[in-house]
Amino acid sequence: MPKFPQPSLSGGELSPGMRGRVDLARYPVSLGKARNFITKPTGGGAKRPGTIFRGFVKHNDRQTRLIPFIYSTSIKYLIEMGDGYFRFWVDGSLLTNSQKPIIGISQADPAVVSSTAHGFATGDYVVISGVSGMTRANSGSFRVGAVTADTFVLEGFDSSNDSAYSGGGTASRIVEVVTPYTGSMIYDVRFTQSADV
C-alpha cells in the first residue's frame, strides 16, 4: 500500500461508508479510525483526556441508563434511570437533601452512625462526607439499615478495622424519584427535552 504525507487531520474520522470516497476533498485530511484521539480544527491531534470515576449507580447488578439533561453551557445534569427510580447527578455528585451532622460512627460490622434526629428511614440511600478519622466512610453512598431516632446502620459497611471516628461529617439523603419503569423497560423509554423540561 502506498504511503503519503498527511499534513492535517482536520477532516476527523470517516464513517465506514465514506472510506472509499477518494474523490472527496476531505478524504486526504481524514482518518479511517481515531480512537482515544481528538482531531483539532487547526490540523493536529491530541490524546483524548481520561474520565473521572464519580460514583456507583444504585444497583450494579441491574440495568441502568444515563440520560444527559443539558439546559445551557453552565447548567448540565445527568439522570440515572434504573429499575423503578430516577437519581440526579449534578456537577459530578449525586443530588442530596436533608443534610444532618454526624456525632459518631461505631467501629463495627455494619457501622452505626449517630446523628441526632436524623429523620432517615430504612431503605434510604445516604452520602457521607467530611468525616475525620474514619475517612473511608467518605467514599460513596450507603443504604440505610435499621434506624432509631438518633442512629442508623450503614448496610454493608464494615468499619471494624478502620481508624476510629474523630469528628465532623454530615449524612445527606440522596434525592430519588420513584418511576413505573422496570429495568427491562428503561431502554424502551423515549424522551425529549424542551428548554428546562
Side-chain angles (χ1 to χ4, degrees), residues 125-140:
Y125 281 81
V126 295
V127 173
I128 306 291
S129 60
V131 169
S132 297
M134 191 180 291
T135 56
R136 195 169 63 90
N138 298 323
S139 64

Side-chain angles (χ1 to χ4, degrees), residues 13-169:
E13 184 176 331
L14 292 173
S15 68
M18 300 299 287
R19 290 191 184 147
R21 294 292 312 272
V22 296
D23 58 322
L24 296 175
R26 297 201 82 150
Y27 187 87
V29 293
S30 299
L31 297 165
K33 186 178 272 191
R35 294 291 178 253
N36 294 320
F37 188 74
I38 297 172
T39 59
K40 296 182 178 182
T42 56
K47 185 177 178 184
R48 178 187 62 82
T51 57
I52 298 173
F53 177 74
R54 295 296 187 173
F56 292 100
V57 295
K58 182 177 178 180
H59 302 293
N60 63 3
D61 60 342
R62 302 181 199 168
Q63 289 188 340
T64 305
R65 181 178 181 185
L66 299 177
I67 301 169
F69 184 90
I70 302 170
Y71 181 63
S72 69
T73 57
S74 61
I75 303 173
K76 302 174 218 173
Y77 307 108
L78 192 61
I79 302 168
E80 176 187 321
M81 182 181 192
D83 191 4
Y85 74 93
F86 283 155
R87 297 198 312 181
F88 308 92
W89 293 78
V90 181
D91 296 328
S93 300
L94 282 163
L95 182 64
T96 60
N97 63 12
S98 303
Q99 190 175 60
K100 301 294 181 179
I102 294 173
I103 56 175
I105 303 176
S106 69
Q107 286 178 289
D109 182 16
V112 178
V113 177
S114 298
S115 177
T116 306
H118 55 75
F120 301 140
T122 300
D124 284 347
Y125 281 81
V126 295
V127 173
I128 306 291
S129 60
V131 169
S132 297
M134 191 180 291
T135 56
R136 195 169 63 90
N138 298 323
S139 64
S141 62
F142 303 93
R143 187 174 192 273
V144 173
V147 297
T148 66
D150 298 326
T151 65
F152 59 92
V153 170
L154 298 178
E155 287 186 357
F157 184 61
D158 180 0
S159 62
S160 56
N161 294 321
D162 289 339
S163 301
Y165 170 83
S166 63

